[in-house]
């Protein structure tokens, strides 16, 4: 039996939690991560909100706009002013901002973020226009003094299940292994939330983005009343698509078999808790994108990411027929049933391995 412990970090929950943490964002996942940190006991968590309404709701004890029904932990305080939310003692920053709004925040606040502590992006998407991932946007917009502290957090993690204390595993990726380990220790609580580490930033970000597009396709299958065979095929062939794109951007592809890849793909393709899954289901019912978007205040990242994935895949020459079909259903008015029929009628081919993404 192997006794190699080179990949071990420390016992989960044994590392001292951050004394103060800043969570930028006020949606359901931001609240869940803030709550998970606050439950460690000694961590004071500051949430930076984008509206005074949500700030006041949180400080009154319940985020009624984005996470109704859950009491706000006593260690959490909400702000709308980043200067007030930050102080020199902040040891961890989580950026839980939708991808399409991240750059605007970074540009506006590049002189306000704390220096010397990990800055962890939790968004899962690709920016329209630039085709940059959240990590790449941080590199592009923030001064060099921040760069060695960047990390990405991803994996199968519905906010409500984190709030309920259910077992959840995530992965923290960084080009700096020390930062990845530090963040993993900070967020792992020894009971419900556990983090693994990786250096495959490209792969983990691409997986997190593409799985949202594929979840829309899965929701459409559910809306069309197709069963388990269809969903299993979608997950498998979708995994091949996201692997091809990840490898084309510099990933070794192995992360696709992990939490950010197949793990998050299985989660978002099989549950109505996924906003993207719900979008697909509503598309299949005949609703337009405008009607779907107007009925919720939550952001389904896959809607915008379908555009940017299409752009990036075209630029890199990567074939992604399922993602292309989702784009056509969202933006060109194609009926999901017709899109599925066309996918099934494509020329036959060989199935390759996971890393090849064939």
């Amino acid at each position: 039996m192997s006794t190699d412990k080179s990949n071990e970090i420390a016992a989960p929950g044994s590392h001292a939690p951050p004394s103060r943490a800043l969570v930028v964002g006020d949606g359901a996942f931001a609240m869940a991560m803030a709550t998970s940190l606050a439950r460690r006991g000694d961590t004071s968590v500051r949430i930076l909100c984008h509206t005074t309404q949500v700030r006041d709701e949180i400080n009154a004890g319940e985020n009624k706009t984005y996470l109704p029904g859950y009491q706000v932990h006593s260690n959490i305080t909400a702000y709308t002013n980043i200067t007030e939310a930050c102080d020199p003692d902040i040891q961890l920053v989580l950026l839980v901002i939708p991808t399409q709004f991240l750059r605007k925040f970074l540009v506006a606040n590049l002189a306000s973020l704390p220096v010397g502590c990990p800055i962890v992006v939790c968004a899962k998407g690709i920016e329209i226009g630039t085709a940059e991932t959240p990590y790449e946007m941080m590199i592009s917009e923030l001064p060099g003094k921040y760069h060695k502290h960047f990390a990405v957090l991803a994996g199968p993690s519905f906010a409500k299940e984190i709030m309920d204390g259910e077992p959840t595993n995530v992965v923290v990726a960084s080009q700096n292994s020390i930062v990845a380990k530090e963040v993993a220790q900070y967020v792992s609580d020894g009971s419900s939330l556990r983090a693994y580490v990786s250096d495959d930033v490209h792969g983990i970000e691409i997986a997190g983005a593409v799985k949202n597009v594929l979840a829309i396709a899965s929701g459409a299958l559910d809306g069309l009343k197709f069963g388990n065979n269809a969903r299993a095929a979608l997950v498998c062939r979708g995994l091949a698509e996201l692997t091809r794109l990840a490898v084309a951007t510099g990933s070794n592809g192995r992360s696709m078999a992990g939490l950010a890849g197949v793990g998050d793909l299985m989660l978002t393709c099989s549950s109505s808790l996924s906003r993207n899954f719900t979008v697909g289901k509503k598309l299949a019912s005949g609703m337009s994108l405008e009607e779907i978007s107007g009925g919720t205040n939550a952001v389904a990242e896959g809607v915008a990411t379908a555009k940017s994935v299409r752009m990036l895949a075209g630029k890199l020459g990567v074939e992604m027929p399922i993602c292309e079909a989702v784009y056509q259903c969202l933006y060109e008015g194609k009926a999901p049933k017709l899109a599925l029929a066309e996918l099934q009628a494509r020329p036959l081919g060989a199935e390759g391995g996971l890393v090849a993404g064939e």
Side-chain angles (χ1 to χ4, degrees):
M1 183 173 67
S2 174
T3 58
D4 180 17
K5 296 186 178 182
S6 59
N7 290 325
E8 291 186 6
I9 302 173
S14 63
H15 187 274
S19 60
R20 292 192 180 182
L22 172 66
V23 176
V24 180
D26 52 19
F29 192 70
M31 291 299 301
M33 291 305 298
T35 302
S36 179
L37 288 168
R39 286 172 178 162
R40 297 290 297 273
D42 297 324
T43 303
S44 171
V45 184
R46 299 172 174 214
I47 293 185
L48 184 63
C49 303
H50 73 290
T51 68
T52 56
Q53 175 187 328
V54 177
R55 177 201 65 191
D56 293 344
E57 288 178 359
I58 292 172
N59 288 335
E62 181 184 0
N63 187 337
K64 295 180 180 179
T65 300
Y66 296 111
L67 198 63
Y70 289 92
Q71 183 176 355
V72 176
H73 195 283
S74 59
N75 286 357
I76 295 174
T77 307
Y79 301 81
T80 52
N81 185 306
I82 191 169
T83 304
E84 295 177 358
C86 287
D87 69 38
D89 295 326
I90 295 290
Q91 292 181 286
L92 176 68
V93 177
L94 300 183
L95 300 180
V96 196
I97 306 169
T99 302
Q100 307 308 322
F101 303 100
L102 178 61
R103 189 183 300 274
K104 181 179 179 180
F105 171 83
L106 295 175
V107 171
N109 298 285
L110 56 86
S112 301
L113 291 170
V115 179
C117 69
I119 299 178
V120 187
V121 66
C122 302
K124 298 175 181 177
I126 299 171
E127 188 180 38
I128 295 173
T130 67
E132 286 191 347
T133 64
Y135 195 99
E136 289 170 334
M137 280 189 265
M138 291 198 297
I139 294 290
S140 296
E141 300 298 346
L142 293 181
K145 61 185 178 181
Y146 289 104
H147 291 189
K148 67 181 181 180
H149 303 290
F150 292 159
V152 176
L153 186 146
S157 48
F158 282 150
K160 289 186 176 181
E161 295 188 7
I162 294 176
M163 292 296 295
D164 292 337
E166 296 190 16
T168 300
N169 282 203
V170 297
V171 59
V172 176
S174 177
Q175 294 173 353
N176 184 335
S177 62
I178 295 174
V179 169
K181 292 176 181 179
E182 183 178 21
V183 174
Q185 291 169 333
Y186 276 156
V187 302
S188 297
D189 60 18
S191 56
S192 58
L193 188 62
R194 175 183 175 89
Y196 291 80
V197 299
S198 171
D199 61 1
D200 187 14
V201 174
H202 287 295
I204 283 169
E205 285 207 295
I206 292 297
V210 176
K211 64 90 184 176
N212 284 331
V213 181
L214 297 169
I216 295 175
S218 185
L221 288 180
D222 193 67
L224 293 170
K225 308 300 182 184
F226 288 113
N228 296 320
N229 289 357
R231 179 174 297 153
L234 171 70
V235 169
C236 184
R237 297 314 306 162
L239 184 61
E241 289 191 18
L242 68 83
T243 301
R244 283 197 292 267
L245 188 61
V247 170
T249 62
S251 168
N252 58 30
R254 289 192 291 271
S255 295
M256 303 309 102
L259 290 163
V262 68
D264 213 356
L265 186 60
M266 288 178 63
L267 182 76
T268 54
C269 285
S270 60
S271 174
S272 58
L273 285 177
S274 163
R275 295 186 289 267
N276 297 288
F277 183 93
T278 301
V279 167
K281 192 168 183 176
K282 290 180 177 179
L283 274 178
S285 75
M287 292 179 67
S288 68
L289 179 56
E290 292 71 22
E291 291 171 328
I292 296 168
S293 301
T296 179
N297 56 18
V299 176
E301 290 258 40
V303 173
T305 302
K307 284 185 176 181
S308 47
V309 163
R310 186 176 193 250
M311 174 185 171
L312 183 59
K315 177 182 177 182
L316 297 175
V318 177
E319 186 181 23
M320 303 184 72
I322 299 174
C323 290
E324 174 64 23
V326 172
Y327 173 87
Q328 292 173 356
C329 291
L330 287 171
Y331 297 108
E332 296 180 354
K334 179 169 284 188
K337 192 168 186 177
L338 174 59
L340 175 61
E342 291 176 350
L343 285 170
Q344 288 295 89
R346 295 175 68 248
L348 301 179
E351 183 179 48
L354 176 61
V355 173
E358 297 173 355

